[in-house]
Amino acid sequence: AGTPMCGNNPVSRTDPSGLRTYFIPGIGGSLYPGFTNALQGPPTYLTDVRTFPVFQAGLPGTLKTELEAAAEAAADPTKDPDAQALARQVKSDLLRDPLAAGEQLNFIGYSGGATVAFDAAVILQYATGMNFASRIVIDNIVTLGGFVFRGKPGNVAKWTEVTGDLDVITRAYAFPDALYWEYGVAHFPIGPIPSYVTGGGIPQTLNIVNATGLR
């Protein structure tokens, strides 16, 4: 975060000193594309934000909820098809467009997307081969009301958990490196009450993301 790069237009210009951030929303989170756009403005100025929607858990016609899928995948991330798909996408992106020296790789996971982020990180610990000489390191995972059932993977430098004071769904069964509270924020938007990625929750989330040191 800090000074905007490339005129805040990363699509058409190169940003060799920026960072790559994957936003992984839970079920329904993809309904809020404004949050992805907001991440690229002040105060964060994240110039390369890529949204990776979660599809598998909680879809109509299935019996699994996001929470159930999270608990199942905690024991074995290979049972998380979304995490497998995210890990494949990250590896593909890095092969096509490697990170520059000092460039960060970050995950922001909302709701069940937090579980996907953690599971994908576990999978990426073993991403040798395919021109990868060693495991892929994630500089930051930021979870927004996330379902987290495992400790921080060894290839994650920093985990920041964000919890709304009106959120009764968030579950973190491990200890983050940093914990932030949002006030007046619920898990999902309920009438005038915002979530982490809607309404008045967005400025709070952006300020926290900025404070975590993503740069």
Side-chain angles (χ1 to χ4, degrees):
T3 305
M5 302 173 187
C6 301
N8 211 21
N9 183 13
V11 175
S12 60
R13 302 179 188 177
T14 300
D15 176 17
S17 60
L19 74 171
R20 186 170 305 165
T21 300
Y22 292 83
F23 171 52
I24 308 105
I27 297 298
S30 58
L31 299 177
Y32 314 125
F35 179 65
T36 301
N37 294 330
L39 283 169
Q40 298 178 87
T44 59
Y45 295 113
L46 305 183
T47 56
D48 186 356
V49 179
R50 308 179 184 193
T51 299
F52 188 90
V54 172
F55 293 109
Q56 300 298 328
L59 291 176
T62 70
L63 298 177
K64 286 185 180 179
T65 65
E66 285 185 90
L67 191 58
E68 289 169 333
E72 179 181 278
D76 183 357
T78 62
K79 294 182 179 179
D80 186 339
D82 287 306
Q84 293 281 3
L86 174 59
R88 287 194 298 270
Q89 185 63 54
V90 170
K91 289 188 287 185
S92 174
D93 289 348
L94 290 176
L95 284 171
R96 184 178 64 255
D97 183 17
L99 296 175
E103 189 176 6
Q104 292 183 353
L105 175 61
N106 305 306
F107 289 166
I108 298 177
Y110 165 51
S111 188
T115 303
V116 174
F118 266 70
D119 292 341
V122 172
I123 295 168
L124 290 171
Q125 287 190 96
Y126 309 105
T128 55
M130 291 180 60
N131 296 328
F132 295 109
S134 62
R135 65 185 181 176
I136 294 172
V137 173
I138 294 88
D139 293 279
N140 294 279
I141 290 184
V142 179
T143 56
L144 310 174
F147 303 148
V148 180
F149 289 84
R150 65 170 70 251
K152 185 179 70 174
N155 60 330
V156 175
K158 182 179 180 182
W159 166 30
T160 300
E161 165 66 8
V162 182
T163 300
D165 62 340
L166 302 180
D167 188 350
V168 297
I169 300 178
T170 184
R171 294 288 185 273
Y173 293 98
F175 296 101
D177 296 304
L179 172 63
Y180 290 85
W181 286 92
E182 291 196 10
Y183 297 98
V185 170
H187 196 86
F188 303 111
I190 306 171
I193 301 174
S195 73
Y196 307 92
V197 297
T198 62
I202 293 181
Q204 292 189 63
T205 300
L206 295 178
N207 285 329
I208 292 170
V209 168
N210 186 63
T212 62
L214 275 66
R215 52 180 173 75

